[in-house]
Amino acid sequence: MPELPEVETVRRGLSELIIGKIVAKVSTDNQKSFPNSQPDVEAFLLGAKIIAVRRRAKVLMIDLNSGYTLVIHLKMTGQLVYVGPEVRFGAGHPNESLVGGLPDKSTRVEFAFADGSNMYFNDQRKFGWVRLMPSLEVDSLPFMQKVGPEPFDPEFTNEVFAGRLLRRKNTTIKAAILDQSVLAGVGNIYADEGLWAANIHPETRVKDLSFEQTSKLRRELIDVMALSIEKGGSSNRNYVNADGSKGSFTDFAKVFRRDGLACVRHPDQEIEKIRVAGRGTHICPVCQRRP
DNA sequence: CACTTGACCTGTCCGC
DNA sequence: TGCGGACAGGTCAAGT
């Protein structure tokens, strides 16, 4: 679910909602979702104040004034939802059975803040995780060491993109842009959307693309992700913003999950679904000629 | 090293 | 309706 635009939307939402809060209590139903030791939690999380919410690639970082940071990856089905002090759900509460109440069966980690508000890490498939670690060590995580440039960084130029793509020159362009070491943040939705916009077939070998083509792809990837952030991210099933609301980007998608529907550029042509790099892939066979 | 595939989990949807 | 299989936004480990 969450690719860069969704994670950025959550980051912005959380920034408005949880900065300044004091963590009062933490519990988990799944050791894998939150693997930290109790002594560390007590020493560096409980009683600590949230001072910033950051993002790098698809990773969220919640900084605490204890010198520790909560590093969070939502993977496929993770959510981070804030519920204010005026709303109480859960066991024993009169509104416990209300639809949409939290926690629910997918809630893996519950954070209670000192003012009575809560934040829930929900994750149906349990791929995601929350990890407490010293703020200074976040950058040395293996993922952070290898992750490529942020697409919105001015230093992510056409030349930088082309150079990064060289390391994956024998694979397909779709596999290459899904590789987080090439650039940060692109996932299955924005890969398909960007490739369609740039008129590139996802199975094209990287080495067969011109500088002009990769430059157009860079521009389109940036533009489609910017549009998605503007729309609050996608509206797919498991994705919600920090306040539990959905985005609307999916309404603007040109190919993603539109198989069988008409291409907006070629009304007589249906969008097709194929498999590339092990992922469901959506194309217009006219816009994107097979290599 | 570069590339591909399977594994991690739960839930849903589709065809028989 | 029931049941099996394919598939779902991401990343790793292990295979070739």
Side-chain angles (χ1 to χ4, degrees), chain A residues 146 162-171 179 181-182 206:
Chain A
K146 72 171 193 196
R164 290 246 155 198
L165 282 170
L166 282 182
R167 64 175 71 196
R168 302 300 307 272
K169 60 187 170 169
N170 288 314
T171 191
D179 182 342
S181 74
V182 171
V206 173

Side-chain angles (χ1 to χ4, degrees), chain A residues 132-187:
Chain A
L132 180 69
M133 61 187 296
S135 307
L136 292 174
E137 289 177 16
V138 174
D139 285 346
S140 52
L141 286 170
F143 178 88
M144 293 300 185
Q145 287 289 304
K146 72 171 193 196
V147 71
E150 286 290 320
F152 297 116
D153 189 326
E155 291 182 17
F156 179 57
T157 61
N158 289 332
E159 289 75 14
V160 167
F161 187 35
R164 290 246 155 198
L165 282 170
L166 282 182
R167 64 175 71 196
R168 302 300 307 272
K169 60 187 170 169
N170 288 314
T171 191
T172 60
I173 185 62
K174 173 142 178 179
I177 58 177
L178 288 174
D179 182 342
Q180 300 298 295
S181 74
V182 171
L183 81 158
V186 174

